[in-house]
Amino acid sequence: MGLYLLDYGAGNVRSLANTIKKLGYEFEWISSPADFLKATSLIFPGVGAFGTAIEGLESRGLLEPLREYIASGKPYFGICIGMQVLFQSSSESPSTKGLGLIPCSIDEFDNADKSVPHMGWNSVEFLDLADKTHEGIDESSHYYFVHSYRARYDWTDADAAQWVHTTTQYGQEVFVASVRKGNVFGTQFHPEKSGDAGLRLLNAWLSSPENSRTAAPPSPPLARPPRAQDGLTKRIVACMDVRSNDDGDLVVTKGDQYDVREKPAATPAPADPSSGQQASTAGAVRNLGKPVALAARYYAAGADELCLMNITSFRHSPLQDQPMLAVVRAAAEEVFVPLTIGGGIKDSVDPDGTPRPALEVAGAYFRAGADKVSIATEAVFAVEQMRARASDGGLCHGDGTSAIETIAKAYGRQAVVVSVDPRRVYVEPGYDGPYKDELVYGKPDGAEAERSKAWWYQCTVKGGRENRPLSVVQLARGVEKLGAGEILLNSIDRDGTGLGFDIDLVNLVRRNVRIPVVASSGAGKAQHFVEVFQQTGVEAALAAGIFHREEVGIPEVKDALVGANIKARR
Ligand code: 1PR
């Protein structure tokens, strides 16, 4: 079988390649127009932005051959942007035309009632098919979506509706989850990132892509009005801070309030090795395991997403020789859920003087198998610069040069996470200085140390080592404006304490932006996840220490969520 994959040069296509290999299939990459003639089946794993995809295909002379391939009747499977290019156009890039097979346009989600991008695991449903596992899709499973633009399901438009295979709902919007007609199949979600459910779907298509499995479209098309609630689940994220230890090995480590070195024991260990007792490890970098092995463990345990944070000095390694790239490559062979990589995503210069713009650094990680990059220090500087340009010190537009803007333009905003490292700054009652409008007051029934206090949240850079004159609210609003697609909200005060998420901080940020927010730092038990979802509107919650030390398992967290009527993927 001549299975080919189409790569227009942007985004994570490695994950699909890894999935296909894992399923035992061989494939080739389309590298020239002539390859379309050799292909007997084709997958286009489009990642990124609509305009970039079409322009990328055009500039490589692949757009017309793609159109001809599809018209020839040979099997085609488009994923995400690979499905969207089948439509006429997208408001993401109004001057760019799609292939126009499906006679309607793609538009942006309305963020009045929900966070946009739509990011996470949602259910799908067939319109009226009796076969509820058609194309390997299963209505009882969840699939991973990540996009800001969607094809609304309009049953009054019969020409477009005849393509619709499954629908899904986000907020009150019902949109197309998959299309199926003749030789063409497409999914808005990412099967290669949808765990076992996605593997089953891909396997079903790969085992017989040439089969005409088109079910007769309902005629007239069926109505699918929105229901009271959508099927999006809350995401549980496992985070691994990776650095080299004092022996030069890459390890997953974990800090207490960002200090990753072992503390001296209360009773020092004896220095005499003949005593049979272990020598003191005080001062050593905590070693909680190997990154790829831990990533595989969390995938198997049901993590909805994984983060790898590069917190070591090798962030300054030359890009070609960046150890973290090897970690991402190896992890992407083991895990089939989204992978975020952070640390060192910024403009840099290799030791030989070669400049490496942040866009190139991010591109290397996407090609290695990352789905999102996370930016911390550079995001703070970018917002500071944006505010300095605004005449009133408030928000203006970016100048297009920041890492957030350049990466979001090429890969779509959903690929850009901003990781925030705020720290509380306590002030006296009656404080009347800067950030007074953002003050949080300790509650009478709150922790004793906080009861009579007020505080604001200050941004830091370089892993909390340097405080900056910027509040977390200013940062959150600023990065949203610059084009970030998600906020990963840490708390230096809560990191590693097990006291629970900082609910005040999470609420403060959640109500100031419309993009998804991941609550992080402080989880000590499963109930803390229930609390953060019940008391704030966040889309996801992240933990590190309790998972690494196996104090709480991911299934236990999911059970607690379901027990509290919070949607979770299991
Ligand atoms: O500044 O763009 O190079 O990014 C550096 C990244 O590395 C940032 O995302 C920053 O948060 C992270 N980082 C830097 N130093 C440390 C450190 O610990 N010394 N880790 C660090 C931050 C916080 C989370 C942790 C949660 C949950 N660690 O990663 O996973 O707090 O922990 P818990 O559940 O155990 O409480 P740039």
Side-chain angles (χ1 to χ4, degrees):
M1 171 174 97
L3 169 65
Y4 275 74
L5 264 52
L6 176 57
D7 175 14
Y8 66 90
N12 170 15
V13 290
R14 179 177 285 263
S15 291
L16 179 69
N18 289 341
T19 313
I20 292 171
K21 271 194 225 147
K22 185 180 168 68
L23 291 169
Y25 293 90
E26 304 280 324
F27 65 89
E28 305 278 343
W29 292 101
I30 294 270
S31 57
S32 74
D35 288 336
F36 283 99
L37 299 173
K38 294 187 231 158
T40 54
S41 57
L42 176 68
I43 307 183
F44 181 12
V47 191
F50 184 87
T52 320
I54 297 282
E55 284 155 24
L57 290 173
E58 245 169 357
S59 67
R60 288 169 165 75
L62 300 177
L63 189 63
E64 279 316 303
L66 171 62
R67 195 192 298 278
E68 286 160 18
Y69 172 89
I70 294 174
S72 74
K74 290 192 280 186
Y76 173 83
F77 184 173
I79 296 174
C80 193
I81 294 289
M83 181 195 90
Q84 293 195 356
V85 296
L86 299 168
F87 288 72
Q88 272 173 341
S89 59
S90 169
S91 56
E92 187 175 15
S93 178
S95 57
T96 311
K97 278 198 165 47
L99 292 173
L101 266 81
I102 306 177
C104 70
S105 68
I106 306 276
D107 293 299
E108 194 166 10
F109 278 113
D110 178 0
N111 71 359
D113 65 336
K114 58 190 174 295
S115 305
V116 175
H118 171 226
M119 199 183 278
W121 299 76
N122 210 330
S123 52
V124 303
E125 64 186 76
F126 295 102
L127 283 172
D128 74 340
L129 284 185
D131 174 6
K132 295 294 183 196
T133 57
H134 197 251
E135 286 291 7
I137 292 182
D138 177 356
E139 283 190 345
S140 62
S141 293
H142 291 96
Y143 297 92
Y144 187 75
F145 290 81
V146 55
H147 57 130
S148 302
Y149 294 80
R150 79 328 175 221
R152 195 167 62 84
Y153 175 55
D154 178 2
W155 59 88
T156 64
D157 177 353
D159 289 342
Q162 62 171 314
W163 282 85
V164 179
H165 179 240
T166 61
T167 59
T168 187
Q169 180 177 334
Y170 184 39
Q172 285 302 291
E173 296 187 60
V174 176
F175 64 95
V176 177
S178 61
V179 296
R180 186 74 175 100
K181 192 176 172 200
N183 58 316
V184 176
F185 181 45
T187 58
Q188 178 59 66
F189 56 87
H190 287 268
E192 78 282 18
K193 289 284 152 190
S194 295
D196 287 347
L199 291 174
R200 283 195 299 275
L201 185 162
L202 275 162
N203 201 31
W205 190 85
L206 287 165
S207 61
S208 50
E210 70 292 345
N211 276 2
S212 174
R213 286 182 293 247
T214 308
S219 183
L222 288 183
R224 163 54 170 101
R227 310 215 163 81
Q229 267 205 326
D230 62 28
L232 189 70
T233 66
K234 296 292 186 186
R235 284 175 278 150
I236 300 301
V237 185
C239 181
M240 287 154 281
D241 288 349
V242 179
R243 61 162 289 163
S244 49
N245 65 10
D246 300 323
D247 300 325
D249 298 326
L250 278 188
V251 297
V252 173
T253 189
K254 183 66 209 64
D256 294 327
Q257 299 176 311
Y258 286 31
D259 180 0
V260 299
R261 293 198 177 260
E262 299 282 7
K263 306 272 181 306
T267 317
D272 176 11
S274 64
S275 70
Q277 292 182 323
Q278 281 195 334
S280 169
T281 55
V285 171
R286 273 193 201 131
N287 179 350
L288 292 161
K290 291 279 177 198
V292 178
L294 268 190
R297 188 176 103 197
Y298 294 143
Y299 170 66
D304 296 315
E305 254 180 75
L306 299 177
C307 279
L308 286 162
M309 291 295 172
N310 177 356
I311 68 164
T312 199
S313 54
F314 62 62
R315 284 187 292 189
H316 305 299
S317 301
L319 193 54
Q320 315 89 304
D321 189 26
Q322 171 54 265
M324 201 64 177
L325 280 172
V327 171
V328 174
R329 267 188 222 107
E333 287 176 10
E334 303 283 337
V335 307
F336 301 96
V337 295
L339 203 51
T340 299
I341 165 81
I345 309 292
K346 60 177 184 181
D347 293 347
S348 52
V349 180
D350 276 357
D352 67 359
T354 312
R356 302 289 186 188
L359 180 60
E360 191 182 339
V361 177
Y365 282 115
F366 291 134
R367 281 190 299 283
D371 300 284
K372 305 186 237 181
V373 290
S374 162
I375 305 172
T377 299
E378 284 308 296
V380 173
F381 293 145
V383 172
E384 287 181 0
Q385 285 157 15
M386 179 171 78
R387 294 177 64 82
R389 278 194 304 273
S391 49
D392 60 355
L395 294 180
C396 67
H397 290 286
D399 62 3
T401 63
S402 68
I404 297 174
E405 292 162 281
T406 54
I407 300 169
K409 181 160 181 255
Y411 295 96
R413 77 183 301 159
Q414 77 288 336
V416 183
V417 181
V418 166
S419 167
V420 191
D421 301 311
R423 182 183 276 128
R424 288 183 181 191
V425 178
Y426 289 96
V427 294
E428 295 302 319
Y431 170 81
D432 194 27
Y435 315 109
K436 64 174 190 225
D437 298 337
E438 298 172 19
L439 285 188
V440 171
Y441 294 89
K443 294 173 194 56
D445 58 348
E448 196 180 339
E450 298 173 354
R451 266 178 225 161
S452 57
K453 303 236 171 91
W455 60 90
W456 62 280
Y457 292 94
Q458 179 168 29
C459 289
T460 66
V461 293
K462 302 176 185 161
R465 288 183 190 84
E466 187 184 324
N467 296 331
R468 300 297 304 179
L470 194 73
S471 75
V472 74
V473 173
Q474 291 170 334
L475 179 77
R477 287 186 182 160
V479 298
E480 177 173 54
K481 185 109 183 167
L482 287 171
E486 184 172 56
I487 289 179
L488 196 181
L489 182 57
N490 299 303
S491 153
I492 297 181
D493 306 278
R494 289 294 169 97
D495 175 54
T497 62
L499 294 172
F501 299 95
D502 186 338
I503 300 287
D504 293 312
L505 170 65
V506 177
N507 268 324
L508 185 66
V509 171
R510 177 60 289 169
R511 63 172 183 266
N512 273 284
V513 291
R514 304 296 314 144
I515 53 179
V517 175
V518 184
S520 164
S521 305
K525 53 185 178 182
Q527 188 59 23
H528 287 150
F529 292 85
V530 173
E531 279 166 21
V532 80
F533 290 130
Q534 281 178 338
Q535 294 175 30
T536 76
V538 281
E539 288 70 20
L542 173 153
I546 53 167
F547 294 154
H548 301 337
R549 295 186 299 270
E550 299 188 59
E551 292 162 5
V552 177
I554 292 168
E556 191 185 329
V557 173
K558 301 265 181 107
D559 286 348
L561 296 186
V562 171
N565 280 327
I566 297 167
K567 286 200 179 80
R569 176 186 74 107
R570 292 207 281 186

